[in-house]
Amino acid sequence: MARSAHAVHPGPAPRDTAPALAPDARAAVLAWFDARGRALAFRATRDPYAILVSEVMAQQTQISRVVEAWSRFLEHFPTVQALADATPADVLRAWQGMGYDRRALNLRRTARVIVDEHGGAVPRDVAALERLPGIGPYTARAVASIAFEQAVGAVDTNVRRVLGRVLGGPAGPGLPAAWLQAAADRAVDPSRPGDWTHAVMDIGATLCRPVNPRCDACPVKAWCAFARDRADQPSGAAPVPPRTNQRPRPRRVAFTATTRWLRGRIVDQLRAADGAAWVTIDPPIGGHEAPAVRDAMQALARDGLVELDVGDPARARLARA
Ligand code: SF4
């Protein structure tokens, strides 16, 4: 389908009926990527394991932080086998600065599954990738396309926004996930799936911002329903998405008041300790008093990140096994 961006489908769309990008639009996106795509260190590798690590890191962390952490992590664990053999404590120390520490443990579990069930080679197909611990639909498709050049569309928040706007206009990003997934699968350039994935991610990160997208610099503007609607606005302002029955947004809680922040500070204290030394965690931590600190330590132990001293549960260390 060429430039029929307003013809949005209200429900799930099988791949062959999802709207498709015009071949010229694909070519324009890839030409833009060749000239202006982000030259990130982890894009230079062809090693599926290194690509898998970068995609897990990028799930919830800014790319600028991922670049340095990725190199450091691979120095510690250059192969799947090295990661599979590591202790949780080793992996958590190498994960420093990344946040969402459970990802590190899932990555180690993933390495063990790859060694035990896939002969040490990262699986190629999406279904097998999705069965790995902590690997969701987006990461599985990103790895399949980037590491193995499979023509599958990886849909994260940025890609949802780009493709949704291009194909569906202002309401596009809110269309059903299955519809967008089908459209994303169909949009992939089959001759360059990995570059396509990177290109759409880069457009989402650098041009197609949530507010005030830079349509004039965007390679897909000529085929974009959102940009066309925007041009039709009297002031050239961004079109307003149709209102949906959204619930009111919950009030924002300061990050330092969250359990996630508290867990991160406890793990940071344990990371800083030597080897297997026990560390006494003294409340309060920030505004979190003793009961909250105790609950967070117990939750960290249940999640396999830390061990608590049975004789003194105020003492902990990073998990050794
Ligand atoms: Fe986003 Fe504008 Fe590009 Fe469309 S033309 S994809 S709205 S930046």
Side-chain angles (χ1 to χ4, degrees), residues 161-163 165-166 203 207-209 213-216 218-222 224-227 230:
R161 190 168 60 252
V162 174
L163 288 181
R165 283 173 167 175
V166 170
I203 291 173
L207 299 176
C208 196
R209 303 175 299 204
R214 296 174 55 207
C215 299
D216 285 342
C218 182
V220 81
K221 180 184 176 187
C224 179
F226 184 101
R230 189 184 205 190

Side-chain angles (χ1 to χ4, degrees), residues 153-179:
V155 183
D156 70 350
T157 308
N158 282 344
V159 174
R160 163 177 279 268
R161 190 168 60 252
V162 174
L163 288 181
R165 283 173 167 175
V166 170
L167 297 169
L175 286 166
W179 189 92

Side-chain angles (χ1 to χ4, degrees), residues 100-176:
Y100 292 99
D101 293 312
R102 267 187 288 196
R103 287 181 298 169
L105 293 196
N106 278 334
L107 199 49
R108 172 178 172 269
R109 291 186 191 113
T110 276
R112 294 186 150 204
V113 172
I114 291 172
V115 167
D116 292 344
E117 299 179 15
H118 299 280
V122 175
R124 301 174 66 90
D125 69 283
V126 169
L129 284 162
E130 278 196 56
R131 284 197 292 274
L132 298 172
I135 305 297
Y138 166 78
T139 304
R141 284 165 176 77
V143 171
S145 62
I146 295 167
F148 301 114
E149 295 294 346
Q150 296 199 40
V152 289
V155 183
D156 70 350
T157 308
N158 282 344
V159 174
R160 163 177 279 268
R161 190 168 60 252
V162 174
L163 288 181
R165 283 173 167 175
V166 170
L167 297 169
L175 286 166

Side-chain angles (χ1 to χ4, degrees), residues 1-275:
M1 185 187 84
R3 307 182 65 166
S4 58
H6 288 283
V8 292
H9 193 292
R15 180 180 172 130
D16 56 355
T17 60
L21 282 176
D24 286 355
R26 282 205 191 116
V29 166
L30 287 170
W32 173 86
F33 175 71
D34 290 339
R36 299 181 187 278
R38 294 177 295 179
L40 303 169
F42 47 77
R43 289 184 175 174
T45 183
R46 303 308 310 159
D47 176 1
Y49 162 66
I51 291 168
L52 176 66
V53 171
S54 72
E55 287 300 326
V56 170
M57 286 185 161
Q59 282 170 3
Q60 286 150 308
T61 303
Q62 286 178 339
I63 290 296
S64 55
R65 282 163 61 198
V66 170
V67 171
E68 188 196 323
W70 176 78
S71 300
R72 193 178 64 229
F73 193 86
L74 289 177
E75 280 170 21
H76 285 282
F77 314 112
T79 62
V80 173
Q81 187 70 58
L83 182 56
D85 291 342
T87 67
D90 293 337
V91 179
L92 287 166
R93 287 201 166 93
W95 197 257
Q96 182 158 21
M98 294 294 295
Y100 292 99
D101 293 312
R102 267 187 288 196
R103 287 181 298 169
L105 293 196
N106 278 334
L107 199 49
R108 172 178 172 269
R109 291 186 191 113
T110 276
R112 294 186 150 204
V113 172
I114 291 172
V115 167
D116 292 344
E117 299 179 15
H118 299 280
V122 175
R124 301 174 66 90
D125 69 283
V126 169
L129 284 162
E130 278 196 56
R131 284 197 292 274
L132 298 172
I135 305 297
Y138 166 78
T139 304
R141 284 165 176 77
V143 171
S145 62
I146 295 167
F148 301 114
E149 295 294 346
Q150 296 199 40
V152 289
V155 183
D156 70 350
T157 308
N158 282 344
V159 174
R160 163 177 279 268
R161 190 168 60 252
V162 174
L163 288 181
R165 283 173 167 175
V166 170
L167 297 169
L175 286 166
W179 189 92
L180 274 161
Q181 181 62 61
D185 286 341
R186 202 161 186 212
V188 178
D189 187 308
S191 66
R192 298 175 63 186
D195 285 347
W196 176 263
T197 297
H198 287 145
V200 182
M201 285 180 189
D202 283 4
I203 291 173
T206 64
L207 299 176
C208 196
R209 303 175 299 204
V211 178
N212 293 328
R214 296 174 55 207
C215 299
D216 285 342
C218 182
V220 81
K221 180 184 176 187
W223 297 270
C224 179
F226 184 101
R228 238 184 343 269
D229 278 18
R230 189 184 205 190
D232 290 344
Q233 305 286 317
S235 61
V240 180
R243 288 184 71 82
T244 55
N245 290 331
Q246 288 175 337
R247 276 176 274 171
R249 282 192 187 176
R251 256 199 303 158
R252 256 198 133 116
V253 176
F255 182 46
T256 52
T258 63
T259 303
R260 184 158 75 82
W261 180 87
L262 174 60
R263 287 169 59 112
R265 301 297 73 71
I266 293 170
V267 172
D268 279 347
Q269 287 190 36
L270 304 183
R271 274 196 189 99
D274 287 335

